[in-house]
Amino acid sequence: MVGLELSQQITLHQLKVFEAAARHCSFTRAAEELFLTQPTISMQIKQLTQAVGLPLFEQVGKRLFLTDAGRQLYVTCKDIFDRLSLLEMGIADMKGMKRGRLRLAAITTTKYVVPRLLGPFCQRYPGIDISFKVTNHEGVLERMAENLDDLYIISQRPDNPEINSYLFIENPLVVLAPHGHPLSNEKQISLERIAEEPFIMREPGSGTRQAIQQLFDKNNIPIKIRLEIGSNEAIKQAIASGLGISVLSIHSLALEGVISQFTILDVVDFPISRNWYVIYPAGKQLSIIANTFFEYLQTEGRQLADVAGLLNQLIGQPDKTPHP
Ligand code: PGA
């Protein structure tokens, strides 16, 4: 083999196996994903390691890590597979079809809206598969730093001119209390008064949490966090069962129909005005599919803005919803 270039020694199949193993940091999970046996994965990686001439993985305790050479190979692999998939989409487009995969990563609150957009999009373009990763603000930024997806939806635009962004829809944050809460009919409740209530807070890394913390910090008011929960849905359950109050995106009420179990408190400085942005790194070449979705969001997304307007009507009208 000595003297042969790497491209003559390695195969795309080996790279595919390596990419999956590196992404999961696990041969077992790569084997599951690729429907191969673990000895096959080990063999392919062994051959690839021999061709590269340096170890690609190292085992520390029970965990597998990439070596420096492995990390470089991983970046190269992702690049090769991204380009191949761009080529595939381009060819399908030349044949008059939209075919390929759209990879989206979005903050948790979008899960109430984005799936409703994806339905008609998938019907219009049946050849497009979608992966929709829902995580918190920090998680989305981490995915973008690793270039894992095509488009990202986030509330707080990173302060970076190297990012393209499009304001997609409003995302106001409101103070939510259980139905019949003693403050439900009060007007212009102060932040100090709210801070006396037991507060249910999202986990560190959440954009919702950051926004709440910023507002209270700006006013030098400490919040009494009674409970920390990493899920909007679980927070709603906790509010409904009387554990405390919280601040959530108004979209998290979208699926409630009438917000019978909750009341939106009329608090000074609320709703916190936020927006969802679709963003991607400025240097990134968007695939035809990602572009198609981006354009679709700009048209259908605007229609959804009306939904936000409707939801906005709920603000400041505590306990006007039918009681359960
Ligand atoms: P979160 O995102 O899921 O990180 O709280 C919501 C937001 O940033 O508005």
Side-chain angles (χ1 to χ4, degrees), residues 44-302:
Q44 297 293 318
I45 300 233
K46 192 171 162 199
Q47 287 168 359
L48 193 59
T49 307
Q50 278 166 358
V52 171
L54 284 173
L56 301 172
F57 291 98
E58 59 192 356
Q59 182 129 14
V60 181
K62 285 194 173 164
R63 288 185 63 195
L64 203 58
F65 294 90
L66 284 171
T67 60
D68 284 348
R71 265 192 296 277
Q72 284 200 30
L73 183 62
Y74 181 53
V75 172
T76 308
C77 272
K78 277 180 51 38
D79 204 30
I80 292 172
F81 290 120
D82 277 357
R83 279 168 190 276
L84 278 176
S85 110
L86 282 179
L87 174 72
E88 231 175 321
M89 292 182 212
I91 289 175
D93 197 52
M94 285 178 215
K95 291 179 181 166
M97 295 177 286
K98 293 261 185 276
R99 192 174 293 284
R101 176 170 284 264
L102 171 71
R103 293 164 308 178
L104 287 178
I107 47 171
T108 59
T109 45
T110 62
K111 78 169 190 192
Y112 302 98
V113 173
V114 173
R116 281 189 283 134
L117 274 177
L118 291 177
F121 182 75
C122 290
Q123 272 167 10
R124 198 175 301 171
Y125 303 109
I128 297 182
D129 299 326
I130 297 185
S131 86
F132 179 42
K133 176 79 192 167
V134 177
T135 178
N136 70 17
H137 177 79
E138 224 164 77
V140 173
L141 290 184
E142 277 165 17
R143 291 186 69 85
M144 189 163 74
E146 287 183 42
N147 191 25
L148 292 181
D149 307 281
D150 297 309
L151 297 170
Y152 306 84
I153 306 180
I154 204 159
S155 274
Q156 213 169 302
R157 230 175 345 173
D159 196 11
N160 178 349
E162 304 293 299
I163 300 237
N164 289 342
S165 70
Y166 165 72
L167 193 160
F168 162 43
I169 192 172
E170 292 166 359
N171 178 35
L173 303 183
V174 294
V175 184
L176 214 58
H179 176 81
H181 189 276
L183 294 175
S184 55
N185 287 319
E186 290 200 18
K187 296 273 169 233
Q188 291 290 289
I189 306 162
S190 69
L191 286 181
E192 285 86 351
R193 176 65 192 84
I194 284 300
E196 287 167 17
E197 293 291 310
F199 204 89
I200 308 167
M201 187 66 112
R202 283 281 305 279
E203 77 289 358
S206 145
T208 309
R209 179 183 177 125
Q210 264 178 34
I212 303 164
Q213 202 73 60
Q214 264 167 22
L215 176 65
F216 281 81
D217 286 353
K218 198 176 87 188
N219 290 279
N220 282 322
I221 300 170
I223 319 176
K224 233 193 305 173
I225 300 179
R226 178 180 203 180
L227 201 59
E228 198 174 274
I229 309 186
S231 141
N232 300 317
E233 281 310 298
I235 288 183
K236 275 161 48 184
Q237 294 304 322
I239 297 172
S241 62
L243 282 170
I245 64 166
S246 189
V247 173
L248 288 179
S249 161
I250 199 154
H251 292 285
S252 67
L253 297 172
L255 302 181
E256 299 298 321
V258 285
I259 53 163
S260 51
Q261 298 183 65
F262 307 104
T263 191
I264 296 171
L265 298 184
D266 180 4
V267 179
V268 172
D269 286 333
F270 277 88
I272 300 178
S273 155
R274 281 162 74 80
N275 299 294
W276 285 327
Y277 298 89
V278 186
I279 65 171
Y280 61 94
K284 187 176 174 75
Q285 187 191 347
L286 283 191
S287 70
I288 287 167
I289 305 295
N291 253 320
T292 308
F293 187 67
F294 197 60
E295 282 163 17
Y296 172 81
L297 279 186
Q298 293 177 30
T299 47
E300 316 289 314
R302 289 197 192 287

